[in-house]
Amino acid sequence: MNAIGKISASDRYERCVQTSKRVRWDIEKDVIRGRRFDASTKFLPDGLYLADAFASLSHDEKRFVSQIQGRTYANVFGLVERFINAKVLELSHDHWFGDQVALEALVRFSDEELKHQALFRRIDAMIGDVLPEGYRFDVDPNGVAHAVLGKSTWAVLALTLDIELFTQLHYRQSIDPDTELSELFKDVFLYHWREESQHAIIDELEWVRHDAGLTTEERDRAVDEFIELVAAVDGILQSQAKADAGYFAATCGRAVEKAEARAIEAAFLKAYRWQYIHSGAQHPQFGKVLSSLITQRQGQRIQAALATLH
Ligand SMILES: [Fe+2]
Ligand SMILES: [Fe+2]
């Protein structure tokens, strides 16, 4: 057992509370600091928006794609944080008359997700100020939250841990090291990452705690529900890829023929599946926690479902 493995669950909640207090930030004072977005810079790095998949586009057009995807990236986080926060508030009931430090960790988690949603609404509006009119993100956060929360807690926590781990991976591996990115966009995800690091630890603690109370049959059903949730995420990605490719074609300043338009839409979908499904599914910590809770056959069912999303 390594040093981390020896830390008790209550110590881990305690550390999350301490770190949450230490890194806490304010949207205007710390993140925005009176700045505006600059349309001459990229918002997402090449490895995240999949620059190479947009083979027919010029350098400047690719930068525009990175800005469209950056705006969608902010909106997708605002979207998922609606159901994540509702689930965290629901789980906090289990700690009301128990470990008060765990309760505080969940309350801070919830408070942070409310702030993050406000940040991402602000970012969407600020990007709207510097990009052409016509961008659409028509997914209703409450509608998605109702559908997601209709699934079992186990399935929702699996999806949540996946999301909160890939947020960190994207920041550390590609957003932070890219020197050509918008400084403001980078800061949004630097500050977001600082608070998300605690969320992923809490997701894992809550998932493992909740899992211990399930029967074999309940867990097996939950595995199917997790697969259904991933398929629902893919449905959202397909419609947003269509919307964003249409917006690009309508505002890029030149005619885009049908065949190229189809290729651009396919590239958007490929990028979104990478960002929101495969990069998280391949995250080592996600794989480690998931495989500690499920059987090999259940793992194969999940892998087979993921393999259809290419
Ligand atoms: Fe967040
Ligand atoms: Fe979070």
Side-chain angles (χ1 to χ4, degrees):
M1 198 185 259
N2 59 26
I4 301 288
K6 288 182 191 154
I7 300 169
S8 70
S10 75
D11 284 347
R12 295 184 80 194
Y13 285 113
E14 170 77 39
R15 286 182 183 199
C16 286
V17 169
Q18 295 310 328
T19 312
S20 158
K21 287 179 179 168
R22 199 177 63 244
V23 303
R24 183 161 185 84
W25 45 263
D26 177 80
I27 294 176
E28 299 299 331
K29 189 165 66 68
D30 299 310
V31 185
I32 313 266
R33 305 201 300 266
R35 292 177 290 180
R36 281 170 59 86
F37 281 105
D38 174 358
S40 71
T41 56
K42 278 192 297 183
F43 292 175
L44 279 185
D46 294 355
L48 263 191
Y49 83 86
L50 299 191
D52 293 346
F54 294 86
S56 65
L57 305 194
S58 69
H59 182 78
D60 287 354
E61 287 172 339
K62 285 185 182 180
R63 184 180 60 231
F64 183 34
V65 166
S66 86
Q67 294 165 344
I68 299 170
Q69 287 197 25
R71 189 174 185 179
T72 290
Y73 194 74
N75 283 328
V76 168
F77 280 109
L79 175 78
V80 299
E81 288 176 343
R82 187 69 53 90
F83 77 73
I84 292 174
N85 183 41
K87 182 51 77 180
V88 165
L89 287 172
E90 186 192 300
L91 286 164
S92 76
H93 287 197
D94 296 348
H95 300 286
W96 277 9
F97 308 113
D99 184 343
Q100 296 299 290
V101 176
L103 179 61
E104 184 178 356
L106 267 70
V107 168
R108 299 189 73 91
F109 182 158
S110 164
D111 175 59
E112 286 159 4
E113 294 298 30
L114 287 167
K115 179 177 67 179
H116 298 175
Q117 289 174 65
L119 169 68
F120 292 127
R121 284 193 295 271
R122 179 94 164 84
I123 294 310
D124 177 60
M126 288 176 70
I127 295 178
D129 288 341
V130 298
L131 292 191
E133 291 285 311
Y135 172 88
R136 307 285 301 251
F137 187 84
D138 290 334
V139 200
D140 169 33
N142 291 331
V144 169
H146 280 298
V148 171
L149 297 172
K151 305 289 183 192
S152 64
T153 293
W154 192 98
V156 177
L157 282 172
L159 182 66
T160 304
L161 177 64
D162 174 25
I163 292 169
E164 305 210 286
L165 283 172
F166 76 57
T167 316
Q168 297 176 52
L169 183 84
H170 294 173
Y171 180 73
R172 283 196 316 266
Q173 290 196 345
S174 49
I175 296 175
D176 183 44
D178 193 323
T179 54
E180 289 175 29
L181 287 198
S182 150
E183 284 300 321
L184 175 54
F185 198 84
K186 226 172 167 167
D187 275 347
V188 168
F189 286 93
L190 166 65
Y191 285 93
H192 189 238
W193 168 70
R194 284 180 178 163
E195 290 184 340
E196 285 302 314
S197 302
Q198 286 68 256
H199 297 182
I201 296 168
I202 296 168
D203 294 332
E204 183 184 324
L205 288 167
E206 289 296 307
W207 192 19
V208 171
R209 182 183 66 79
H210 175 80
D211 177 84
L214 293 195
T215 64
T216 308
E217 293 73 29
E218 283 169 335
R219 187 177 304 102
D220 196 57
R221 261 200 312 279
V223 167
D224 286 335
E225 289 186 328
F226 173 58
I227 292 170
E228 287 161 21
L229 284 177
V230 173
V233 168
D234 194 61
I236 293 171
L237 302 183
Q238 289 188 35
S239 66
Q240 194 58 33
K242 200 181 181 68
D244 288 352
Y247 169 65
F248 173 86
T251 56
C252 70
R254 66 171 170 90
V256 178
E257 298 302 327
K258 267 191 179 157
E260 190 189 3
R262 273 198 301 275
I264 291 170
E265 185 181 326
F268 268 99
L269 181 58
K270 188 177 178 192
Y272 291 161
R273 282 174 161 170
W274 168 243
Q275 288 161 28
Y276 305 110
I277 295 178
H278 299 299
S279 65
Q282 291 169 18
H283 194 290
Q285 184 63 13
F286 181 71
K288 193 176 144 198
V289 183
L290 178 67
S291 60
S292 75
L293 303 180
I294 60 173
T295 65
Q296 222 175 0
R297 283 179 76 95
Q298 288 165 339
Q300 285 162 356
R301 251 154 61 204
I302 293 170
Q303 289 310 322
L306 289 171
T308 65
L309 306 177
H310 278 292

mmCIF file of all heavy atoms in Angstrom, residues 77 80-81 84-85 88 109 112-113 116 160 163-164 167 192 195-200 203, ligand 2:
data_model
loop_
_atom_site.group_PDB
_atom_site.id
_atom_site.type_symbol
_atom_site.label_atom_id
_atom_site.label_comp_id
_atom_site.label_asym_id
_atom_site.label_seq_id
_atom_site.Cartn_x
_atom_site.Cartn_y
_atom_site.Cartn_z
ATOM 1 N N PHE A 77 -19.230 22.719 -19.751
ATOM 2 C CA PHE A 77 -18.984 22.666 -18.302
ATOM 3 C C PHE A 77 -20.143 23.290 -17.537
ATOM 4 O O PHE A 77 -20.607 22.739 -16.536
ATOM 5 C CB PHE A 77 -17.650 23.315 -17.926
ATOM 6 C CG PHE A 77 -16.507 22.397 -18.183
ATOM 7 C CD1 PHE A 77 -15.617 22.616 -19.218
ATOM 8 C CD2 PHE A 77 -16.344 21.259 -17.401
ATOM 9 C CE1 PHE A 77 -14.588 21.726 -19.477
ATOM 10 C CE2 PHE A 77 -15.321 20.371 -17.663
ATOM 11 C CZ PHE A 77 -14.437 20.615 -18.695
ATOM 12 N N VAL A 80 -22.933 20.554 -17.523
ATOM 13 C CA VAL A 80 -22.791 19.368 -16.661
ATOM 14 C C VAL A 80 -22.757 19.742 -15.181
ATOM 15 O O VAL A 80 -23.147 18.952 -14.322
ATOM 16 C CB VAL A 80 -21.550 18.498 -17.027
ATOM 17 C CG1 VAL A 80 -21.671 17.979 -18.439
ATOM 18 C CG2 VAL A 80 -20.244 19.245 -16.819
ATOM 19 N N GLU A 81 -22.305 20.956 -14.892
ATOM 20 C CA GLU A 81 -22.224 21.351 -13.485
ATOM 21 C C GLU A 81 -23.604 21.500 -12.854
ATOM 22 O O GLU A 81 -23.735 21.437 -11.633
ATOM 23 C CB GLU A 81 -21.387 22.619 -13.350
ATOM 24 C CG GLU A 81 -19.910 22.291 -13.606
ATOM 25 C CD GLU A 81 -19.001 23.485 -13.598
ATOM 26 O OE1 GLU A 81 -19.515 24.617 -13.709
ATOM 27 O OE2 GLU A 81 -17.776 23.286 -13.492
ATOM 28 N N ILE A 84 -24.266 17.897 -11.741
ATOM 29 C CA ILE A 84 -23.258 17.509 -10.741
ATOM 30 C C ILE A 84 -23.608 18.153 -9.396
ATOM 31 O O ILE A 84 -23.621 17.506 -8.350
ATOM 32 C CB ILE A 84 -21.830 17.913 -11.194
ATOM 33 C CG1 ILE A 84 -21.399 17.064 -12.404
ATOM 34 C CG2 ILE A 84 -20.824 17.770 -10.047
ATOM 35 C CD1 ILE A 84 -20.068 17.470 -13.034
ATOM 36 N N ASN A 85 -23.944 19.435 -9.444
ATOM 37 C CA ASN A 85 -24.255 20.131 -8.200
ATOM 38 C C ASN A 85 -25.505 19.552 -7.524
ATOM 39 O O ASN A 85 -25.529 19.368 -6.310
ATOM 40 C CB ASN A 85 -24.448 21.627 -8.479
ATOM 41 C CG ASN A 85 -24.693 22.397 -7.216
ATOM 42 O OD1 ASN A 85 -24.057 22.138 -6.199
ATOM 43 N ND2 ASN A 85 -25.636 23.310 -7.245
ATOM 44 N N VAL A 88 -24.523 16.353 -5.844
ATOM 45 C CA VAL A 88 -23.705 16.599 -4.649
ATOM 46 C C VAL A 88 -24.591 17.039 -3.479
ATOM 47 O O VAL A 88 -24.422 16.571 -2.345
ATOM 48 C CB VAL A 88 -22.617 17.664 -4.967
ATOM 49 C CG1 VAL A 88 -21.988 18.220 -3.696
ATOM 50 C CG2 VAL A 88 -21.552 17.066 -5.863
ATOM 51 N N PHE A 109 -17.969 22.032 -2.333
ATOM 52 C CA PHE A 109 -18.012 21.515 -3.701
ATOM 53 C C PHE A 109 -19.217 22.144 -4.429
ATOM 54 O O PHE A 109 -19.097 22.710 -5.533
ATOM 55 C CB PHE A 109 -18.135 19.989 -3.602
ATOM 56 C CG PHE A 109 -18.149 19.180 -4.867
ATOM 57 C CD1 PHE A 109 -17.793 17.826 -4.816
ATOM 58 C CD2 PHE A 109 -18.518 19.703 -6.089
ATOM 59 C CE1 PHE A 109 -17.813 17.023 -5.960
ATOM 60 C CE2 PHE A 109 -18.544 18.916 -7.247
ATOM 61 C CZ PHE A 109 -18.205 17.582 -7.175
ATOM 62 N N GLU A 112 -18.823 25.841 -5.063
ATOM 63 C CA GLU A 112 -17.868 26.084 -6.154
ATOM 64 C C GLU A 112 -18.521 25.834 -7.511
ATOM 65 O O GLU A 112 -18.311 26.600 -8.462
ATOM 66 C CB GLU A 112 -16.625 25.199 -5.968
ATOM 67 C CG GLU A 112 -15.741 25.699 -4.832
ATOM 68 C CD GLU A 112 -14.787 24.657 -4.256
ATOM 69 O OE1 GLU A 112 -14.726 23.518 -4.773
ATOM 70 O OE2 GLU A 112 -14.109 24.988 -3.249
ATOM 71 N N GLU A 113 -19.335 24.767 -7.622
ATOM 72 C CA GLU A 113 -19.979 24.499 -8.916
ATOM 73 C C GLU A 113 -20.985 25.588 -9.291
ATOM 74 O O GLU A 113 -21.163 25.882 -10.474
ATOM 75 C CB GLU A 113 -20.651 23.124 -8.929
ATOM 76 C CG GLU A 113 -19.695 21.937 -8.837
ATOM 77 C CD GLU A 113 -18.704 21.787 -9.984
ATOM 78 O OE1 GLU A 113 -18.286 22.794 -10.593
ATOM 79 O OE2 GLU A 113 -18.317 20.630 -10.249
ATOM 80 N N HIS A 116 -18.809 28.229 -10.651
ATOM 81 C CA HIS A 116 -18.281 27.867 -11.972
ATOM 82 C C HIS A 116 -19.337 28.085 -13.059
ATOM 83 O O HIS A 116 -19.023 28.545 -14.147
ATOM 84 C CB HIS A 116 -17.811 26.405 -12.000
ATOM 85 C CG HIS A 116 -16.685 26.125 -11.054
ATOM 86 N ND1 HIS A 116 -16.179 24.864 -10.839
ATOM 87 C CD2 HIS A 116 -15.956 26.950 -10.253
ATOM 88 C CE1 HIS A 116 -15.201 24.931 -9.954
ATOM 89 N NE2 HIS A 116 -15.057 26.175 -9.572
ATOM 90 N N THR A 160 -19.660 11.589 -13.400
ATOM 91 C CA THR A 160 -19.118 12.797 -12.780
ATOM 92 C C THR A 160 -17.613 12.676 -12.539
ATOM 93 O O THR A 160 -16.855 13.609 -12.848
ATOM 94 C CB THR A 160 -19.858 13.087 -11.452
ATOM 95 O OG1 THR A 160 -21.254 13.182 -11.728
ATOM 96 C CG2 THR A 160 -19.382 14.367 -10.812
ATOM 97 N N ILE A 163 -15.823 13.100 -15.813
ATOM 98 C CA ILE A 163 -15.769 14.504 -16.261
ATOM 99 C C ILE A 163 -14.754 15.293 -15.436
ATOM 100 O O ILE A 163 -13.933 16.035 -15.976
ATOM 101 C CB ILE A 163 -17.170 15.166 -16.139
ATOM 102 C CG1 ILE A 163 -18.142 14.547 -17.153
ATOM 103 C CG2 ILE A 163 -17.079 16.677 -16.313
ATOM 104 C CD1 ILE A 163 -19.599 14.948 -16.939
ATOM 105 N N GLU A 164 -14.792 15.113 -14.115
ATOM 106 C CA GLU A 164 -13.931 15.957 -13.287
ATOM 107 C C GLU A 164 -12.465 15.545 -13.397
ATOM 108 O O GLU A 164 -11.578 16.353 -13.136
ATOM 109 C CB GLU A 164 -14.448 15.998 -11.859
ATOM 110 C CG GLU A 164 -15.915 16.453 -11.919
ATOM 111 C CD GLU A 164 -16.424 17.219 -10.733
ATOM 112 O OE1 GLU A 164 -16.643 16.598 -9.693
ATOM 113 O OE2 GLU A 164 -16.598 18.431 -10.866
ATOM 114 N N THR A 167 -11.248 17.112 -16.929
ATOM 115 C CA THR A 167 -11.041 18.560 -16.794
ATOM 116 C C THR A 167 -9.586 18.836 -16.409
ATOM 117 O O THR A 167 -8.935 19.732 -16.946
ATOM 118 C CB THR A 167 -11.888 19.121 -15.619
ATOM 119 O OG1 THR A 167 -13.176 18.576 -15.680
ATOM 120 C CG2 THR A 167 -11.927 20.614 -15.604
ATOM 121 N N HIS A 192 -10.342 27.169 -12.703
ATOM 122 C CA HIS A 192 -11.309 26.080 -12.630
ATOM 123 C C HIS A 192 -10.621 24.809 -12.135
ATOM 124 O O HIS A 192 -11.092 24.131 -11.229
ATOM 125 C CB HIS A 192 -11.968 25.856 -14.002
ATOM 126 C CG HIS A 192 -13.111 24.897 -13.956
ATOM 127 N ND1 HIS A 192 -13.155 23.765 -14.706
ATOM 128 C CD2 HIS A 192 -14.245 24.895 -13.214
ATOM 129 C CE1 HIS A 192 -14.272 23.107 -14.430
ATOM 130 N NE2 HIS A 192 -14.948 23.771 -13.541
ATOM 131 N N GLU A 195 -9.956 24.302 -8.345
ATOM 132 C CA GLU A 195 -11.050 23.845 -7.488
ATOM 133 C C GLU A 195 -11.532 22.448 -7.887
ATOM 134 O O GLU A 195 -11.992 21.690 -7.035
ATOM 135 C CB GLU A 195 -12.193 24.871 -7.500
ATOM 136 C CG GLU A 195 -11.758 26.129 -6.760
ATOM 137 C CD GLU A 195 -12.829 27.197 -6.600
ATOM 138 O OE1 GLU A 195 -13.835 27.191 -7.353
ATOM 139 O OE2 GLU A 195 -12.655 28.067 -5.738
ATOM 140 N N GLU A 196 -11.406 22.116 -9.176
ATOM 141 C CA GLU A 196 -11.850 20.791 -9.628
ATOM 142 C C GLU A 196 -11.015 19.653 -9.041
ATOM 143 O O GLU A 196 -11.498 18.527 -8.921
ATOM 144 C CB GLU A 196 -11.785 20.706 -11.161
ATOM 145 C CG GLU A 196 -12.889 21.450 -11.867
ATOM 146 C CD GLU A 196 -14.278 20.994 -11.465
ATOM 147 O OE1 GLU A 196 -14.511 19.773 -11.411
ATOM 148 O OE2 GLU A 196 -15.119 21.844 -11.175
ATOM 149 N N SER A 197 -9.754 19.946 -8.715
ATOM 150 C CA SER A 197 -8.889 18.883 -8.191
ATOM 151 C C SER A 197 -9.493 18.244 -6.945
ATOM 152 O O SER A 197 -9.410 17.034 -6.765
ATOM 153 C CB SER A 197 -7.495 19.432 -7.878
ATOM 154 O OG SER A 197 -6.948 19.983 -9.046
ATOM 155 N N GLN A 198 -10.136 19.077 -6.110
ATOM 156 C CA GLN A 198 -10.770 18.538 -4.896
ATOM 157 C C GLN A 198 -12.046 17.770 -5.268
ATOM 158 O O GLN A 198 -12.381 16.767 -4.650
ATOM 159 C CB GLN A 198 -11.137 19.655 -3.904
ATOM 160 C CG GLN A 198 -9.968 20.255 -3.162
ATOM 161 C CD GLN A 198 -9.071 21.041 -4.105
ATOM 162 O OE1 GLN A 198 -8.006 20.577 -4.488
ATOM 163 N NE2 GLN A 198 -9.508 22.219 -4.522
ATOM 164 N N HIS A 199 -12.745 18.262 -6.293
ATOM 165 C CA HIS A 199 -14.017 17.613 -6.665
ATOM 166 C C HIS A 199 -13.793 16.160 -7.071
ATOM 167 O O HIS A 199 -14.578 15.275 -6.717
ATOM 168 C CB HIS A 199 -14.692 18.360 -7.825
ATOM 169 C CG HIS A 199 -15.069 19.762 -7.482
ATOM 170 N ND1 HIS A 199 -15.723 20.592 -8.349
ATOM 171 C CD2 HIS A 199 -14.878 20.483 -6.344
ATOM 172 C CE1 HIS A 199 -15.932 21.759 -7.759
ATOM 173 N NE2 HIS A 199 -15.408 21.721 -6.554
ATOM 174 N N ALA A 200 -12.738 15.925 -7.833
ATOM 175 C CA ALA A 200 -12.494 14.553 -8.310
ATOM 176 C C ALA A 200 -12.212 13.608 -7.138
ATOM 177 O O ALA A 200 -12.629 12.447 -7.163
ATOM 178 C CB ALA A 200 -11.345 14.541 -9.308
ATOM 179 N N ASP A 203 -15.606 13.002 -5.523
ATOM 180 C CA ASP A 203 -16.410 12.078 -6.361
ATOM 181 C C ASP A 203 -16.012 10.637 -6.082
ATOM 182 O O ASP A 203 -16.866 9.761 -5.946
ATOM 183 C CB ASP A 203 -16.142 12.300 -7.861
ATOM 184 C CG ASP A 203 -16.598 13.648 -8.349
ATOM 185 O OD1 ASP A 203 -17.534 14.205 -7.765
ATOM 186 O OD2 ASP A 203 -15.996 14.137 -9.330
HETATM 187 FE FE FE B 2 -16.398 20.135 -10.347
#
